[in-house]
Amino acid sequence: MLKKLREFWEKSIIFRVFVKKYKRYFIFGTISLVAVDIINIFPPLIIKKAVDILSGEADITKIATISGLFILVSICQGVCRYLWRMNFIGTSFRCDYDLRMAFFEHMETLSQRFFQKYKTGDLMSRATNDIGAVRMAVGPGLLIGLDAILYFFVIPPIIIYLSPRLSFYTFLLMPLTPFIAYKIKDVIDKRFRDVQEHFSRISEKVQENISGIRVVKSFNMSRQEKETFLGLCKDFMKKNLKLAVPQSLLGPVFEYITYMGIIILLFIGGKMAIDGAITLGTLVAFQRYISMMVWPMTAIGWCLSLLQRGSASMRRIDEVMEEKTEIIPKDNVTLQFIPKGEIEFRDVNFRYDCDKEWILKGIHLRIPTGQRTAIVGPIGSGKSTLVNMLSRIIPVNDQSIFIDGVDINTINIKALRKYIGFVPQETFLFSERIEDNILFGVETGKDNNNVQQFARIAGIEEEIQELPQKYESYLGERGINLSGGQKQRITIARALAIQPSIIILDDCLSAVDARVEGTIMKNILKNFPGRTLLVVTHRLPAIRGFDMIVVMKEGVIVERGTHEQLITVNGLYTSLYTKEVLEERLG
Ligand code: ADP
Ligand code: MG
């Protein structure tokens, strides 16, 4: 029993989020709360005294002393109230901060698969709404709950002391409370989860419409989208109203029980006072105490609903926190690793899902240090998948990919990525200054004067110089919009800025014309001599001079060799090449 209770406590959000880390604040807060609740006993007793004095032989000096006492008591109450607020509510904001940081940090370690499983809007609502609900539970929820419990410990003994018989009658109805609370809390829990889930769907919709606003407009979908959104919002309102029913019932039901107590008090207590069994002062004090019990009765309900919400939200946060980092750090990893640049794929097989088809089938490929290699092939042949594996954006089997002869799974992932300049197929830039974007991967404190040099190599220097604020220009929502080709070149500058040993370009010049692509390629070769260069492209003429060209089809390497060798084979490469040359001539 005790063990179960302890387990329950250790699993509760109050312990996990608040008490475990901020024990001191919890203890101080509880002490000041206990103090307030004990002090709370006194005002009705003081009034009882005053009423008894007034109904006997009135003495003004005694009344004055009592008033003085009253002031003293309220000052003490004020100080203690301030203390518990600071300790509970203040700390709840620290918990909020911890949780948000942990959530964000964890998300950063998760792999692509995770981000396919959860939509952006859903994750956003977990990171904001749900964390907010947890804070409400561990701050105000905990405070209210503790306060209510203390009331139950403090007030009943004093009224039993004043008159056991009267206490018995007035508190007759009280056992009803926990029973009703238990029934209602289940309903609240279920409906609240419904509401939060629905909110996630709304965030998703907003997020999709904002990021895809151009598509929405160009397909004239604004109206339809508005209608779908309206529908979603209506359902959200309905679900909230459904949740409001049990929530609104809690308070009145408890208050009703308490007021019934006061009615009983008037009848039975009144008769006892007339009979002289109790003094008038005791009757007045009783009334005050019963009124004071309204608060813990409603508070219990309120606290339960906050705790329910918080726990439901915590489960949604845990769901994400329990997502395993697919790329598991090993114990025996090499922390320091400065690769020369030899890459080897040894029988690499890969599929995105166990029940899906194989995307890469038995890939064997050795790229010596400093070799310029191109990977070509039709769309969907697995080129991006293959190069993504090198920086372990997707998980890799042990003993399948080696850099300088070292299995990449045994290299610390940060150390590995530090020397791989990877330009992914999809461009993404932050809404920050151009300079910040280019220096994104560069460790702070390093010499930053080379921004222009990297921009020049990536063939974007001149265009940046033409912008009014040059490298200081903000991108995206807060600033300028660049063309697709300009963005692609900035991402190249970003990859080059880390001075990588291995440069990987995944079809990242599709939006610039063939001539510019050729120039950038030459710039990279000239400025990064001896580095291993791996280029995925469909512009075959741009890679004519490469040391090796690998042709992929449906996850298999079908041809490899230099341009001259491949052309004579007259296979897939030849047909891709002639098609591309024709297109460039026509285009
Ligand atoms: P390429 O770069 O040659 O066009 P990809 O490596 O992008 O080819 O894709 C190879 C295959 O893997 C395609 O059939 C594609 O649908 C599939 N694929 C790519 N990325 C994912 C993913 N994240 N989840 C599931 N399947 C994927
Ligand atoms: Mg691709």
Side-chain angles (χ1 to χ4, degrees):
M1 175 70 190
L2 214 63
K3 210 175 131 218
K4 270 228 168 98
L5 215 63
R6 197 195 160 100
E7 245 171 47
F8 178 77
W9 167 240
E10 278 173 2
K11 268 195 204 144
S12 73
I13 46 173
I14 304 287
F15 178 77
R16 283 179 51 201
V17 181
F18 191 132
V19 183
K20 197 168 154 193
K21 212 162 161 196
Y22 299 105
K23 209 181 237 151
R24 220 184 55 193
Y25 293 101
F26 177 71
I27 291 170
F28 277 132
T30 311
I31 290 173
S32 31
L33 196 60
V34 170
V36 172
D37 289 339
I38 289 176
I39 295 169
N40 263 344
I41 305 174
F42 292 103
L45 287 180
I46 296 171
I47 293 202
K48 168 184 150 48
K49 191 87 192 147
V51 171
D52 285 343
I53 288 169
L54 285 172
S55 47
E57 64 218 52
D59 178 348
I60 197 67
T61 51
K62 275 187 185 163
I63 297 289
T65 326
I66 283 173
S67 307
L69 213 61
F70 215 108
I71 293 172
L72 197 70
V73 164
S74 55
I75 289 173
C76 289
Q77 255 179 339
V79 172
C80 291
R81 282 217 172 100
Y82 169 80
L83 285 176
W84 59 242
R85 263 210 189 117
M86 286 305 291
N87 278 302
F88 282 114
I89 310 287
T91 309
S92 77
F93 283 103
R94 281 175 234 259
C95 301
D96 179 281
Y97 169 84
D98 296 342
L99 213 54
R100 216 180 294 274
M101 284 309 286
F103 189 82
F104 187 78
E105 272 172 14
H106 183 68
M107 267 200 325
E108 296 273 290
T109 68
L110 295 173
S111 66
Q112 268 188 337
R113 193 189 303 234
F114 166 82
F115 292 97
Q116 277 168 358
K117 188 164 148 197
Y118 293 88
K119 294 196 183 147
T120 313
D122 179 24
L123 288 174
M124 272 161 62
S125 96
R126 286 174 207 243
T128 51
N129 241 13
D130 286 311
I131 289 181
V134 173
R135 186 193 76 76
M136 283 302 284
V138 300
L142 170 63
L143 171 66
I144 293 167
L146 267 182
D147 193 32
I149 291 169
L150 284 171
Y151 264 68
F152 282 112
F153 275 105
V154 165
I155 295 178
I158 192 93
I159 59 169
I160 289 168
Y161 165 76
L162 287 176
S163 164
R165 201 157 76 105
L166 195 49
S167 311
F168 173 75
Y169 288 119
T170 47
F171 278 83
L172 213 53
L173 295 169
M174 256 194 212
L176 273 181
T177 318
F179 176 72
I180 295 175
Y182 182 76
K183 282 272 167 213
I184 298 183
K185 115 189 146 79
D186 261 8
V187 182
I188 291 181
D189 188 22
K190 204 189 139 285
R191 295 189 183 176
F192 180 68
R193 208 176 150 91
D194 257 13
V195 165
Q196 288 298 78
E197 266 161 21
H198 199 91
F199 186 82
S200 281
R201 246 177 288 151
I202 291 184
S203 319
E204 271 160 37
K205 199 81 205 160
V206 172
Q207 196 266 336
E208 262 174 29
N209 268 275
I210 293 174
S211 2
I213 190 70
R214 289 205 195 112
V215 181
V216 171
K217 290 212 168 171
S218 62
F219 281 83
N220 277 324
M221 290 301 282
S222 304
R223 230 195 59 218
Q224 267 105 318
E225 284 296 300
K226 208 165 103 190
E227 271 161 21
T228 335
F229 190 68
L230 259 170
L232 272 177
C233 288
K234 264 195 194 138
D235 287 345
F236 186 57
M237 185 181 67
K238 280 186 201 148
K239 284 189 174 156
N240 265 309
L241 287 176
K242 252 179 99 178
L243 172 64
V245 173
Q247 273 180 344
S248 323
L249 269 178
L250 269 182
V253 167
F254 292 144
E255 273 174 39
Y256 187 71
I257 294 173
T258 317
Y259 288 132
M260 289 297 285
I262 290 190
I263 292 169
I264 294 172
L265 172 75
L266 276 180
F267 276 97
I268 298 176
K271 187 161 181 305
M272 283 169 77
I274 292 166
D275 295 345
I278 52 171
T279 66
L280 197 56
T282 306
L283 186 67
V284 173
F286 244 88
Q287 187 275 329
R288 290 276 308 226
Y289 284 128
I290 303 260
S291 303
M292 276 165 78
M293 286 308 285
V294 176
W295 157 245
M297 293 288 210
T298 39
I300 288 274
W302 190 11
C303 157
L304 282 178
S305 109
L306 285 177
L307 287 182
Q308 285 306 319
R309 280 173 172 230
S311 314
S313 284
M314 194 66 202
R315 271 199 291 282
R316 281 165 52 79
I317 296 166
D318 282 341
E319 255 169 40
V320 173
M321 297 301 279
E322 277 157 18
E323 285 285 338
K324 290 264 163 17
T325 317
E326 270 176 53
I327 297 148
I328 303 151
K330 299 230 167 86
D331 296 334
N332 55 344
V333 289
T334 320
L335 287 174
Q336 284 295 326
F337 187 72
I338 306 176
K340 288 195 205 69
E342 188 209 52
I343 302 168
E344 189 180 355
F345 295 91
R346 246 184 242 170
D347 190 24
V348 173
N349 296 287
F350 179 78
R351 52 183 168 182
Y352 282 96
D353 263 312
C354 320
D355 51 354
K356 295 258 173 68
E357 56 180 330
W358 290 93
I359 303 295
L360 295 176
K361 300 165 216 166
I363 301 283
H364 280 280
L365 179 64
R366 208 181 80 82
I367 302 170
T369 307
Q371 180 174 286
R372 295 164 301 166
T373 308
I375 302 179
V376 302
I379 290 171
S381 51
K383 306 180 297 290
S384 294
T385 307
L386 188 68
V387 292
N388 271 320
M389 288 183 120
L390 270 174
S391 49
R392 282 169 64 193
I393 293 169
I394 44 186
V396 179
N397 288 338
D398 284 349
Q399 298 292 317
S400 58
I401 301 181
F402 299 81
I403 290 180
D404 293 359
V406 179
D407 180 356
I408 62 167
N409 277 354
T410 66
I411 305 169
N412 172 281
I413 203 149
K414 282 191 190 138
L416 176 73
R417 289 177 181 166
K418 212 159 120 188
Y419 295 98
I420 297 183
F422 180 51
V423 185
Q425 194 166 3
E426 284 98 28
T427 13
F428 177 83
L429 293 171
F430 293 94
S431 306
E432 301 287 347
R433 297 178 314 158
I434 291 181
E435 182 178 329
D436 300 331
N437 269 291
I438 294 179
L439 296 176
F440 180 70
V442 179
E443 281 167 41
T444 40
K446 263 199 181 170
D447 181 16
N448 289 350
N449 297 332
N450 299 330
V451 191
Q452 285 188 31
Q453 186 204 330
F454 296 117
R456 197 172 304 121
I457 302 169
I460 185 77
E461 225 282 301
E462 281 170 30
E463 280 153 82
I464 295 176
Q465 289 298 350
E466 278 163 23
L467 298 170
Q469 283 166 303
K470 305 197 165 81
Y471 286 87
E472 305 280 310
S473 316
Y474 273 94
L475 299 182
E477 284 153 35
R478 289 193 280 157
I480 48 167
N481 268 314
L482 299 177
S483 74
Q486 288 171 322
K487 284 187 198 156
Q488 285 187 334
R489 281 171 285 158
I490 291 181
T491 55
I492 293 178
R494 174 172 70 194
L496 298 178
I498 65 169
Q499 309 259 18
S501 314
I502 298 170
I503 301 169
I504 303 170
L505 310 178
D506 185 3
D507 215 354
C508 58
L509 282 164
S510 52
V512 299
D513 61 44
R515 196 184 47 79
V516 178
E517 173 161 6
T519 317
I520 295 169
M521 221 60 108
K522 276 199 203 97
N523 283 347
I524 294 176
L525 294 178
K526 201 174 98 206
N527 287 282
F528 290 89
R531 313 291 168 99
T532 308
L533 180 65
L534 192 54
V535 177
V536 176
T537 183
H538 59 266
R539 293 262 177 65
L540 305 198
I543 45 127
R544 259 178 77 159
F546 272 41
D547 303 318
M548 178 165 58
I549 297 165
V550 175
V551 187
M552 283 183 72
K553 189 186 170 192
E554 290 165 11
V556 183
I557 296 178
V558 286
E559 294 168 20
R560 63 181 92 195
T562 59
H563 171 76
E564 282 71 27
Q565 290 167 341
L566 291 177
I567 279 289
T568 52
V569 172
N570 205 7
L572 180 59
Y573 179 78
T574 315
S575 71
L576 288 172
Y577 186 80
T578 31
K579 201 169 132 245
E580 182 62 27
V581 170
L582 257 178
E583 269 174 18
E584 270 176 35
R585 248 181 235 152
L586 294 174

